[in-house]
Amino acid sequence: QMPPEEAQSAHLKAADCFTRLGEAEEALYHLLAAGAFDEAAQLLVQIGQGLVRAGRLDTLSTWIGALPPDVLQDHAPLMAYLGDVARLQSRFEEALGWYQQAEERSRTKGDLRATGQALRGQARVYLDTVDASKAERLLQEALRLSDGQEDRESRARLLELLAENLVNRGRLAEAQVYQVRARALREEGPAEAELSVRLLLRTGRLDEGRRILEERAEQERQEPVLRPRAHRETLLLLSLLLAFQGEQEKAYQAALEGTDRGQLLNSHFITAVGHMRQGHAWMLRKDEKGYEEAARQFQRAITLSERLDVPRLKIEAYWGLCQAHGFRGDLAEARRVTEQGISMAQAVGDEWVEACIRISLGASYALAGRNADAVAWLAQANTAYRACNDTYGEAVARLWQCLVWRATGDVARLSHDVDDLLQLVRENAYTYLFQRRTLLGPPDPRFLVPLLLFARQTKQSSYAQSLLNQLGLPRLVYHPGYQLRVHSFGSFRIWRGLDEIQPEEWRRQKARQLFQLLLTHRQGLLDREQIADMLWPALGPEEAQRDFKIAMSALYSVLEPDRDRKTPSAYIKRDGTRYGLRPESDWWLDAAEFDDLIAQGDRQLKEDPETALRLYRQALALYQGEYLAEYPYEEWCSEERERLLTQYLTTAERVAQVLIEGKEWEEAIEMCRLILARDDCWENAYRLMMIAYDRLGNRSLALRAYQRCLERLQRELEVTPAAATVQLHERLLAGEPLSDL
């Protein structure tokens, strides 16, 4: 053991050596060991910012905690660093306490730089909690104190913080001025990528914002940012933007990653924002499960915000809850959370989020048919979005207003607003509003198709037609605002948009059979007498014609319950005494999709087997049972049933063959099992199974497959296996490999 004086001297020499080598933390250790606390504090002042940026918050806190209280009190920047640690760990009241102590001490000492650091820290707390009014005064004073200082980067960052604060207050034009000043200070060009992504998000420039955020997210996966960034987290901003664009799966995955990051960094603030973004992603389902799970996520965020004592966090959660309750019809609860959210948004001056809340309630009223209430809320939202220069918000507000004008028969307003809507969509590439479910859009985008049909009579007629072309509805004449979706494989089910038609709605079984008959003969029209012969073979001509009229009337009522009798059916075509499905109308049938996917796969098979395999698998997944399985003995559907079954078996065999060629033996065997589950006399499946088992080295199972083939063919068809199958069996018995076949 060295005497204390020698030990102290050795530590000081080591500290000096490590300082010259640039090993600051090693030097710090030796300074503390030597009791050179003032020198250690000065070194911590120098390296503290780097530790904060690296996310090494606990390390920094431990080093500062090793200093005596009087030394800490004499170094204001260290108290500001403790404020940074607390703020980044979402302990906002504690952070304010440290920053205020730092400000008081630095003002006493006349240290302008340290005073600016303390002011910035306090402002950041208010930015993180989005308390814009308190942040602005602090930032403006910090900017004044930084004037003339050499630290250009700190001043540029102050300008960016001021811009962000102005975004929060809805003063977007002023925010862009500060952004430009920050770029100029850094001597950089006016690249659009340097604009705040939150500014892009709140002004409807979604494609630009998405590109920047996706690039950043990829960079951060390679080089993670180790410090929390509150509501500025890349993945959480990206999740909200994706929700606006209707990218449900991507929005949810980004929200999950962002939430996990909040938990990894022990930031309850980020975790709370993550739950809200998960809620928005769930909202994109626009169904009961989605609404329930979204509400649960928003409530979790509210609980965390109360634990953190950050009321501002609740505003976005109330926005989400408004839609989660309102879209499923609970208007009283939607109105209650709306009032809470708007009150808080107005208190902090966030006009943009207030507009999001207003449009959500207005849309909820529109969906419930309370159009007078919807008009007022949507108008207020539209005005606010225009004040914020948010073209996306304005487009969505116009969209809902158009739906209200159509529902109320206000043709004059509809003509004007549908032109404005389509101009905004065209100029800003918001076509996804018509193509998929978006966060602020209707539960079913097909609600909007009648608007496009109407718009073909306005100044935007050519663009409306191009959107209809993109939707696969180029020749559409009528549309009820929903697509018919029909499942004919296995259990017969049919949906009007999001609503499944229940069995009792048919009233007459023959109406249901009539529709199934038209589906079966979907390629053309059937004469009324043909239909009568197939569905009422035991009746005379007059009775059959009477029952046909009754069934057709019931069918019209089921498919289009709100159709005016004077308006032609959107789905049933009539040409004299002939009837059929309109080929140009908006309906989807699993059997038709099945045929189309297989045809696409056949075209790709030679040039791109991988793509063909994907298409075949999609088709096979649709086949959930035999076509119209509830009518096993009806002649009018038996031929189509057999055709589709054969199509399934031949396609599955083709998939098994491609898998064997790709040496995917186990998958090929599984595909053969699926074939034999549908038809256990399909001999080619046994042959492919024998080859696959042999190549896996399991000759006994290959022989067993042959034996099963032999038994089934003899029992069911009273035939023996084909020569090719027998040859495979003989080679197996001889121990010859089948790999060259």
Side-chain angles (χ1 to χ4, degrees):
Q1 293 259 339
M2 285 187 199
E5 295 80 4
E6 291 183 25
Q8 182 183 41
S9 176
H11 280 302
L12 289 173
K13 287 180 180 179
D16 182 61
C17 179
F18 281 117
T19 299
R20 283 187 277 104
L21 290 172
E23 300 286 347
E25 290 189 57
E26 290 292 337
L28 186 58
Y29 166 77
H30 288 287
L31 286 173
L32 289 171
F37 296 120
D38 192 64
E39 292 85 346
Q42 293 177 35
L43 182 55
L44 271 171
V45 169
Q46 296 173 27
I47 69 171
Q49 190 60 51
L51 292 172
V52 170
R53 288 176 177 168
R56 298 179 61 195
L57 306 179
D58 291 337
T59 299
L60 177 59
S61 183
T62 300
W63 284 126
I64 296 175
L67 298 173
D70 59 323
V71 175
L72 174 61
Q73 289 293 321
D74 201 40
H75 291 82
L78 297 184
M79 289 185 278
Y81 290 149
L82 289 175
D84 290 338
V85 170
R87 176 177 60 82
L88 292 170
Q89 293 180 343
S90 303
R91 304 194 308 271
F92 296 112
E93 287 300 321
E94 180 185 337
L96 279 175
W98 283 116
Y99 289 136
Q100 288 163 359
Q101 287 185 62
E103 179 190 358
E104 181 181 353
R105 186 61 182 158
S106 61
R107 287 187 187 277
T108 300
K109 297 182 70 173
D111 186 343
L112 296 182
R113 185 185 296 274
T115 303
Q117 180 186 2
L119 291 170
R120 282 198 305 276
Q122 293 174 70
R124 283 177 182 271
V125 169
Y126 295 123
L127 280 169
D128 286 351
T129 57
V130 199
D131 193 340
S133 58
K134 292 181 181 178
E136 184 163 4
R137 178 187 61 81
L138 294 161
L139 287 169
Q140 289 289 1
E141 184 178 0
L143 185 65
R144 179 179 58 79
L145 292 174
S146 70
D147 193 21
Q149 294 183 17
E150 294 181 2
D151 188 356
R152 297 167 61 84
E153 176 59 32
S154 293
R155 184 170 172 81
R157 182 61 187 135
L158 271 172
L159 291 166
E160 289 174 336
L161 291 173
L162 274 162
E164 180 180 348
N165 197 56
L166 288 165
V167 168
N168 293 340
R169 305 196 71 175
R171 291 154 56 185
L172 303 180
E174 295 173 66
Q176 293 194 54
V177 170
Y178 279 106
Q179 285 281 356
V180 171
R181 287 176 61 188
R183 288 200 303 272
L185 192 60
R186 290 194 173 107
E187 299 180 346
E188 293 181 354
E192 289 295 333
E194 293 302 317
L195 282 172
S196 164
V197 176
R198 292 180 68 241
L199 182 62
L200 296 176
L201 175 65
R202 286 176 172 232
T203 53
R205 296 160 67 179
L206 302 187
D207 287 341
E208 292 178 69
R210 177 173 177 173
R211 174 178 53 80
I212 294 169
L213 286 169
E214 287 179 336
E215 289 174 359
R216 285 186 190 171
E218 188 56 38
Q219 291 170 2
E220 290 172 12
R221 288 187 181 99
Q222 305 300 321
E223 301 175 10
V225 177
L226 300 176
R227 65 185 188 282
R229 291 166 294 175
H231 53 277
R232 309 174 198 86
E233 286 290 335
T234 299
L235 287 168
L236 296 180
L237 284 169
L238 178 60
S239 177
L240 181 59
L241 191 152
L242 290 168
F244 281 140
Q245 293 188 326
E247 299 276 6
Q248 181 187 357
E249 187 58 36
K250 291 180 179 179
Y252 186 62
Q253 288 304 317
L256 281 181
E257 282 190 63
T259 308
D260 290 343
R261 175 172 160 77
Q263 293 169 345
L264 179 67
L265 296 173
N266 195 29
S267 170
H268 294 307
F269 191 102
I270 294 175
T271 303
V273 177
H275 285 303
M276 288 190 289
R277 302 299 154 83
Q278 286 184 56
H280 292 315
W282 276 104
M283 280 297 306
L284 291 174
R285 286 178 53 124
K286 308 287 188 181
D287 60 13
E288 192 63 27
K289 182 179 179 182
Y291 298 142
E292 287 180 3
E293 184 59 30
R296 191 172 73 86
Q297 294 293 341
F298 293 131
Q299 288 292 353
R300 291 180 71 177
I302 288 172
T303 299
L304 281 172
S305 71
E306 289 172 346
R307 189 181 306 167
L308 291 169
D309 194 23
V310 183
R312 173 60 180 84
L313 262 177
K314 296 181 183 180
I315 301 175
E316 184 178 334
Y318 285 136
W319 161 28
L321 285 172
C322 169
Q323 191 174 164
H325 293 305
F327 273 39
R328 59 177 169 180
D330 189 350
L331 297 178
E333 185 63 14
R335 181 63 181 264
R336 185 186 70 81
V337 295
T338 290
E339 291 172 353
Q340 289 180 284
I342 287 178
S343 175
M344 298 180 75
Q346 290 176 340
V348 299
D350 195 334
E351 191 174 4
W352 183 82
V353 175
E354 182 183 344
C356 292
I357 299 172
R358 289 186 182 279
I359 200 170
S360 296
L361 186 63
S364 299
Y365 280 133
L367 289 172
R370 290 176 52 176
N371 294 309
D373 293 317
V375 166
W377 287 92
L378 293 172
Q380 291 167 351
N382 192 32
T383 300
Y385 281 129
R386 295 183 71 179
C388 294
N389 297 315
D390 182 359
T391 51
Y392 177 82
E394 187 180 350
V396 178
R398 285 287 187 215
L399 180 154
W400 282 105
Q401 287 175 315
C402 287
L403 288 173
V404 170
W405 306 145
R406 179 175 179 271
T408 57
D410 193 332
V411 176
R413 288 183 178 178
L414 180 57
S415 298
H416 177 271
D417 284 359
V418 81
D419 275 343
D420 285 353
L421 166 62
L422 293 183
Q423 184 173 342
L424 286 165
V425 170
R426 187 185 73 248
E427 291 176 353
N428 298 282
Y430 299 149
T431 53
Y432 40 79
L433 288 173
F434 290 89
Q435 296 166 338
R436 50 184 181 258
R437 292 187 292 270
T438 56
L439 183 59
L440 296 177
D444 184 353
R446 287 304 207 261
F447 285 4
L448 307 177
V449 173
L451 298 182
L452 296 177
L453 295 181
F454 179 86
R456 291 196 302 199
Q457 310 165 37
T458 70
K459 291 184 292 184
Q460 296 291 336
S461 60
S462 61
Y463 184 61
Q465 184 60 55
S466 74
L467 288 175
L468 288 167
N469 294 345
Q470 292 177 47
L471 292 171
L473 304 169
R475 301 186 305 278
L476 195 66
V477 178
Y478 312 106
H479 198 279
Y482 51 81
Q483 180 187 59
L484 280 183
R485 292 183 62 84
V486 184
H487 287 187
S488 61
F489 289 132
S491 299
F492 182 79
R493 301 172 71 186
I494 177 172
W495 287 262
R496 289 187 302 257
L498 302 178
D499 300 322
E500 183 172 3
I501 297 174
Q502 300 304 313
E504 60 270 17
E505 292 185 64
W506 289 97
R507 292 181 296 168
R508 293 178 177 274
Q509 181 67 14
K510 285 298 183 182
R512 192 163 177 267
Q513 283 189 343
L514 175 57
F515 181 60
Q516 292 166 331
L517 176 65
L518 297 179
L519 286 172
T520 302
H521 294 270
R522 56 189 174 276
Q523 303 299 337
L525 301 178
L526 292 173
D527 191 82
R528 188 166 54 201
E529 290 185 2
Q530 290 177 281
I531 296 172
D533 286 342
M534 285 186 273
L535 295 184
W536 295 276
L539 297 182
E542 292 185 5
E543 293 87 349
Q545 291 301 318
R546 179 201 63 206
D547 283 7
F548 167 79
K549 290 180 181 179
I550 294 171
M552 182 59 75
S553 177
L555 177 57
Y556 284 139
S557 297
V558 170
L559 299 185
E560 302 168 80
D562 298 325
R563 180 179 68 92
D564 188 308
R565 288 194 173 188
K566 297 179 182 178
T567 304
S569 169
Y571 297 108
I572 306 299
K573 180 178 181 179
R574 179 181 178 182
D575 182 7
T577 61
R578 297 189 303 155
Y579 295 81
L581 293 178
R582 290 186 183 277
E584 76 278 6
S585 62
D586 192 7
W587 54 273
W588 180 92
L589 173 65
D590 55 358
E593 181 76 0
F594 174 79
D595 282 335
D596 185 55
L597 288 168
I598 291 173
Q600 291 181 52
D602 290 344
R603 290 193 293 271
Q604 294 286 336
L605 186 57
K606 288 185 178 179
E607 301 296 327
D608 189 353
E610 187 175 333
T611 297
L613 198 60
R614 176 177 55 79
L615 292 165
Y616 288 149
R617 281 174 165 155
Q618 289 177 22
L620 296 177
L622 290 171
Y623 196 92
Q624 297 296 307
E626 290 192 344
Y627 178 75
L628 298 183
E630 63 190 281
Y631 302 119
Y633 307 114
E634 295 287 352
E635 292 185 7
W636 53 266
C637 61
S638 60
E639 184 178 339
E640 178 71 350
R641 179 183 301 115
E642 288 301 317
R643 182 189 73 81
L644 291 167
L645 175 59
T646 302
Q647 181 86 299
Y648 172 86
L649 295 170
T650 54
T651 302
E653 179 188 329
R654 199 170 300 138
V655 169
Q657 184 67 55
V658 172
L659 290 169
I660 283 178
E661 291 169 0
K663 301 181 180 180
E664 302 288 347
W665 320 123
E666 292 179 350
E667 286 190 60
I669 290 168
E670 184 58 32
M671 187 57 61
C672 290
R673 287 192 183 121
L674 292 175
I675 294 171
L676 296 173
R678 299 287 181 191
D679 184 346
D680 62 0
C681 291
W682 197 264
E683 192 171 348
N684 285 350
Y686 289 111
R687 283 204 292 269
L688 292 170
M689 185 178 282
M690 291 163 69
I691 293 170
Y693 274 131
D694 177 68
R695 294 183 187 179
L696 281 172
N698 199 328
R699 188 153 295 194
S700 64
L701 286 178
L703 289 168
R704 190 179 299 174
Y706 174 79
Q707 190 62 35
R708 183 184 171 196
C709 173
L710 180 65
E711 293 171 357
R712 296 295 190 276
L713 291 177
Q714 288 178 340
R715 187 183 67 193
E716 300 294 335
L717 304 177
E718 297 182 350
V719 299
T720 57
T725 311
V726 173
Q727 182 186 11
L728 284 180
H729 180 238
E730 290 173 349
R731 297 190 66 170
L732 285 169
L733 290 174
E736 298 178 17
L738 305 185
S739 57
D740 59 336
L741 294 179

mmCIF file of all heavy atoms in Angstrom, residues 285 323 475:
data_model
loop_
_atom_site.group_PDB
_atom_site.id
_atom_site.type_symbol
_atom_site.label_atom_id
_atom_site.label_comp_id
_atom_site.label_asym_id
_atom_site.label_seq_id
_atom_site.Cartn_x
_atom_site.Cartn_y
_atom_site.Cartn_z
ATOM 1 N N ARG A 285 -58.069 -1.096 -39.116
ATOM 2 C CA ARG A 285 -58.925 -2.258 -39.406
ATOM 3 C C ARG A 285 -60.372 -1.848 -39.618
ATOM 4 O O ARG A 285 -61.113 -2.496 -40.356
ATOM 5 C CB ARG A 285 -58.848 -3.267 -38.262
ATOM 6 C CG ARG A 285 -57.563 -4.055 -38.199
ATOM 7 C CD ARG A 285 -57.571 -4.988 -37.006
ATOM 8 N NE ARG A 285 -58.753 -5.838 -36.970
ATOM 9 C CZ ARG A 285 -58.732 -7.171 -36.917
ATOM 10 N NH1 ARG A 285 -57.569 -7.799 -36.919
ATOM 11 N NH2 ARG A 285 -59.839 -7.870 -36.857
ATOM 12 N N GLN A 323 -62.373 8.641 -32.262
ATOM 13 C CA GLN A 323 -62.678 7.838 -33.442
ATOM 14 C C GLN A 323 -63.041 6.405 -33.061
ATOM 15 O O GLN A 323 -63.960 5.823 -33.635
ATOM 16 C CB GLN A 323 -61.485 7.841 -34.407
ATOM 17 C CG GLN A 323 -61.831 7.255 -35.755
ATOM 18 C CD GLN A 323 -60.722 7.370 -36.773
ATOM 19 O OE1 GLN A 323 -60.748 6.681 -37.792
ATOM 20 N NE2 GLN A 323 -59.740 8.212 -36.519
ATOM 21 N N ARG A 475 -65.782 0.892 -66.488
ATOM 22 C CA ARG A 475 -67.057 1.069 -67.202
ATOM 23 C C ARG A 475 -68.237 1.149 -66.249
ATOM 24 O O ARG A 475 -69.385 0.951 -66.655
ATOM 25 C CB ARG A 475 -67.256 -0.093 -68.193
ATOM 26 C CG ARG A 475 -66.163 -0.209 -69.233
ATOM 27 C CD ARG A 475 -66.462 -1.268 -70.284
ATOM 28 N NE ARG A 475 -66.727 -2.566 -69.687
ATOM 29 C CZ ARG A 475 -65.798 -3.411 -69.297
ATOM 30 N NH1 ARG A 475 -64.509 -3.087 -69.426
ATOM 31 N NH2 ARG A 475 -66.117 -4.592 -68.771
#
